[in-house]
């Protein structure tokens, strides 16, 4: 994926986080740039978690473990990104709403696409 594709994906993710903050009580995002940096922190955290534990436990993974990790990442990200505030229940509800939105508007991640940076060598 080229850099423009990553930028568009983060913009869409930021807009989705703004909508989720409007829907979910206990989860607030102060503005577009806070949502953009929150999307960036979530993506970096998912990358680190996948590197350490494997694909099945990442926020992009399916199942209850992926859901709980997603809620934990959202809750922990409030300490990194300014103008983001959430409670534990707000993070769980946000992860649930994000998961539901992802059912209807799936965002392919590099992990799901099998991108390893070696596609050109085949």
């Amino acid at each position: 994926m080229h850099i423009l594709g990553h930028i568009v994906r983060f913009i869409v993710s930021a807009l989705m986080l703004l909508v989720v903050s409007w829907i979910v009580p206990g989860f607030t995002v102060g503005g577009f740039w806070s949502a953009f940096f929150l999307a960036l922190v979530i993506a970096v955290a998912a990358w680190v978690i996948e590197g350490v534990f494997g694909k099945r436990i990442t926020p992009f993974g399916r199942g209850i473990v992926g859901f709980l990790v997603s809620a934990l990442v959202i809750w922990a990200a409030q300490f990194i990104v300014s103008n983001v505030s959430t409670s534990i229940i707000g993070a769980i509800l946000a992860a649930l709403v994000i998961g539901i939105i992802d059912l209807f508007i799936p965002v392919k991640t590099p992990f799901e696409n099998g991108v390893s940076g070696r596609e050109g060598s085949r």
Side-chain angles (χ1 to χ4, degrees):
M1 184 183 299
H2 299 289
I3 189 74
L4 184 61
H6 288 296
I7 292 171
V8 168
R9 192 174 98 211
F10 283 119
I11 289 172
V12 169
S13 296
L15 293 174
M16 183 180 70
L17 286 168
L18 286 172
V19 169
V20 170
S21 75
W22 181 67
I23 294 171
V24 175
F27 176 72
T28 58
V29 178
F32 175 77
W33 289 110
S34 294
F36 184 83
F37 289 119
L38 180 60
L40 185 65
V41 166
I42 290 171
V44 169
W47 180 72
V48 169
I49 290 169
E50 180 176 337
V52 173
F53 295 107
K55 184 177 180 180
R56 297 183 61 98
I57 197 168
T58 65
F60 302 117
R62 303 292 178 236
I64 190 71
V65 174
F67 168 73
L68 293 175
V69 168
S70 179
L72 183 63
V73 166
I74 291 169
W75 180 79
Q78 73 177 330
F79 301 111
I80 299 169
V81 181
S82 63
N83 295 327
V84 174
S85 168
T86 186
S87 63
I88 295 289
I89 299 298
I92 291 170
L93 290 174
L96 179 65
V97 171
I98 289 169
I100 291 169
I101 291 172
D102 190 44
L103 285 174
F104 296 105
I105 309 170
V107 175
K108 292 290 183 189
T109 65
F111 315 117
E112 292 172 337
N113 289 335
V115 174
S116 64
R118 295 183 232 166
E119 285 75 31
S121 63
R122 290 184 188 194

